[in-house]
Each structure stands twice: as C-alpha cells, then as structure tokens.
Amino acid sequence: METKHLTRLGLLTALALALSWAESTIPLSVSVPGVKLGLPNLVVVFALYRLGRREAWLLSLVRVALVAATFGNAFSLWYSLAGAVLSLLGMTALKAWGRLSPLGVSVAGGVLHNLGQILVAMAVLDSGAVLAFLPMLLLSGTVAGVCVGAAGGILVRRIRL
Amino acid sequence: MKQLRYDLILIALLLLLSAAAWLLLRPRGEGAVAVVTVDGAEAGRYPLSEDRTVWIESPGGYNLLTIAGGAAAVTEADCGDHTCVRTGEIRLDGQSIICLPHKVVITVEGGEADGVDLSAH
C-alpha cells in the first residue's frame, strides 16, 4: 500500500473514532437503546466511494476494535461488530449494484447497522422481546441514514482525494 | 438524478417497513378482559382487544356494554340512576363499572396497571 494511501486511511480511521466518541457523548434516546445518528458512517461511506471497498471495510472494522479498546466494552463490541459487518455487506453490495446514490447506500447502511445490533441482542438475551424495538430502530436508522447520507453525498462529490 | 429516484424508493420502502413492523409488534394490552358479574355470579368475560357490544340482562333490566378501542363502557341502561353510563370508559387493571340497581359489576382484569393506584400503594 502506498504511503499516501495508508496515511489517508489512518487519518480517516482516526476521524471515524473521534466521531464515534463525539456521538457517544450525546444520548439521543432515552427509551429505545441503539438509536443514534451514526456519524462514523459518514467516514465509512466516504471511504467506500473515494478510497475503495477494501479500505472501507478495514476502516470500519478497525474503528469498532478501537472503540471497544478505548471507551466501549467487551459487551458493546459484539453489537458494534455485528452492526458494522451487516452494514458493510449491504453498502458494498448496493454500491456495486449502482442504482443508488451515496444517500441511499448510507440509508441502507444505517438500517442494517441497527438490524445487526438487534440480532445480537436477540442472541445474547435469547429472547424475542427486543423485537419490540425493531420499528423504532428501523425508523431511526432510516432517518439517521438520510441525514448522514445527505452530508456524505456532498463530501463524496466535493472532496477529491 | 436517476439514482435519487431509487434512493427515494428505498427510503419509502423502509418507512413502510417500519410502519408495518410497528403495527405487527406494538405492545398490546393483551390479556385485559372485562369480567361481567350479575348478582355476584360471573356472566361473561370479554377481551378488550376485540370491539363488540354485549347485552347484559339482569333481573332489574338491561345494561349495554360496549367494548371499543381497548376500553369498556356501559353506553346504555334502563336503570334509574345511570351511574354506570356516567362512569365512562374503563381500561386499566382493576377498574370497574358498577350498576347497583341491576347488581351488575364490570371489572377489568389483567392488562395495563393503573398507575394512580400503584403509586398510592
């Protein structure tokens, strides 16, 4: 990997980590756990379009590991990991499909992230009770995806690396 | 801009999906039933989740129980004081409508708890 490329990737990963932390300091929802803006996804979407698929995966997975190692915990690691992997799978597939703009890809990523977390919660708690959160998480994932995706779309268009 | 159309379709689909999920998965006051007793004997139990009207015959006359929107109310009666009708809707666990002249008691069992009584306890 070229040094310049590596540096960019490192910078963006650091940015994603910083956004994760910033987001963790603003609790958005009191009643439904897992509702959040998904600011780090801004960087992931940008990386997906401007650096490449491999880089986006690397960035996102390293971010999850760093969050767990710094201000997260072993428990939250599994939630984030499932969310990140499902979201990455969906976003890379949809980007390859080519019909969606970064906005749509980001929306899918947001919703899939929440879906991954719910699946882990169901497995961990061995109960379908968390499904009651599904409607709110679908809705919040969509809305957050639109916000983050709109911003991400602008970044992808304006910033050429 | 063609991409934006697919974006909008995706967003619309997801909004529909969350609405559908909400309809399917919302917590219902399941198990809440209106128990009707006439002169101390149970005359019937009706789940509050199903809308219906029940004609309650008693030695003194009749009361018309209407269950709608998860609540029970006596909407019509030929008793003298109409206290039962004026009681209005009941939906919380333990709430009741009483018609003294006809010795009819309608009580909600199960379902959501009455927050006022809970805090009083």
Side-chain angles (χ1 to χ4, degrees):
Chain A
M1 206 183 281
E2 201 190 324
T3 313
K4 216 169 162 186
H5 197 64
L6 190 65
T7 314
R8 273 179 199 142
L9 191 53
L11 258 174
L12 286 176
T13 309
L15 183 58
L17 178 64
L19 287 174
S20 307
W21 176 79
E23 188 170 78
S24 74
T25 62
I26 0 171
L28 260 182
S29 160
V30 274
S31 55
V32 183
V35 172
K36 54 185 176 306
L37 209 44
L39 289 175
N41 203 33
L42 199 63
V43 187
V44 178
V45 169
F46 180 79
L48 185 63
Y49 278 85
R50 282 283 161 260
L51 295 181
R53 192 174 55 185
R54 201 168 55 120
E55 285 78 359
W57 275 82
L58 212 55
L59 186 158
S60 182
L61 295 180
V62 169
R63 178 195 75 85
V64 168
L66 285 175
V67 166
T70 50
F71 55 89
N73 53 54
F75 199 57
S76 67
L77 170 69
W78 297 110
Y79 289 93
S80 329
L81 194 61
V85 168
L86 208 59
S87 162
L88 281 165
L89 280 173
M91 289 201 299
T92 40
L94 285 173
K95 182 186 176 267
W97 185 46
R99 292 276 168 88
L100 296 171
S101 81
L103 175 67
V105 169
S106 163
V107 169
V111 170
L112 286 170
H113 193 100
N114 284 350
L115 211 59
Q117 294 190 318
I118 272 211
L119 289 176
V120 169
M122 279 172 71
V124 167
L125 301 172
D126 198 16
S127 136
V130 274
L131 267 183
F133 294 131
L134 183 66
M136 264 314 290
L137 286 175
L138 279 177
L139 184 65
S140 83
T142 308
V143 174
V146 169
C147 299
V148 167
I154 295 172
L155 289 181
V156 170
R157 246 183 293 127
R158 299 267 171 94
I159 302 178
R160 310 264 158 190
L161 287 180
Chain B
M1 276 306 100
K2 190 157 181 219
Q3 285 186 324
L4 204 60
R5 208 178 66 197
Y6 282 96
D7 289 354
L8 288 175
I9 293 173
L10 174 73
I11 292 164
L13 278 178
L14 286 171
L15 290 179
L16 275 176
L17 195 65
S18 26
W22 181 75
L23 284 176
L24 286 172
L25 299 169
R26 73 185 150 165
R28 263 164 298 206
E30 243 172 339
V33 285
V35 181
V36 178
T37 58
V38 178
D39 200 8
E42 188 174 311
R45 328 180 127 243
Y46 310 95
L48 293 186
S49 51
E50 287 168 45
D51 291 2
R52 74 168 85 210
T53 53
V54 183
W55 187 266
I56 302 167
E57 283 282 345
S58 54
Y62 75 91
N63 300 71
L64 188 66
L65 169 67
T66 304
I67 297 176
V74 173
T75 45
E76 220 183 291
D78 64 350
C79 53
D81 56 8
H82 281 92
T83 302
C84 51
V85 177
R86 282 201 304 273
T87 303
E89 289 187 341
I90 56 170
R91 61 172 76 237
L92 302 172
D93 189 19
Q95 285 185 320
S96 55
I97 299 174
I98 297 167
C99 177
L100 276 181
H102 294 170
K103 295 181 183 167
V104 170
V105 178
I106 301 158
T107 310
V108 175
E109 282 183 10
E112 219 175 311
D114 188 338
V116 178
D117 275 0
L118 274 183
S119 41
H121 280 302

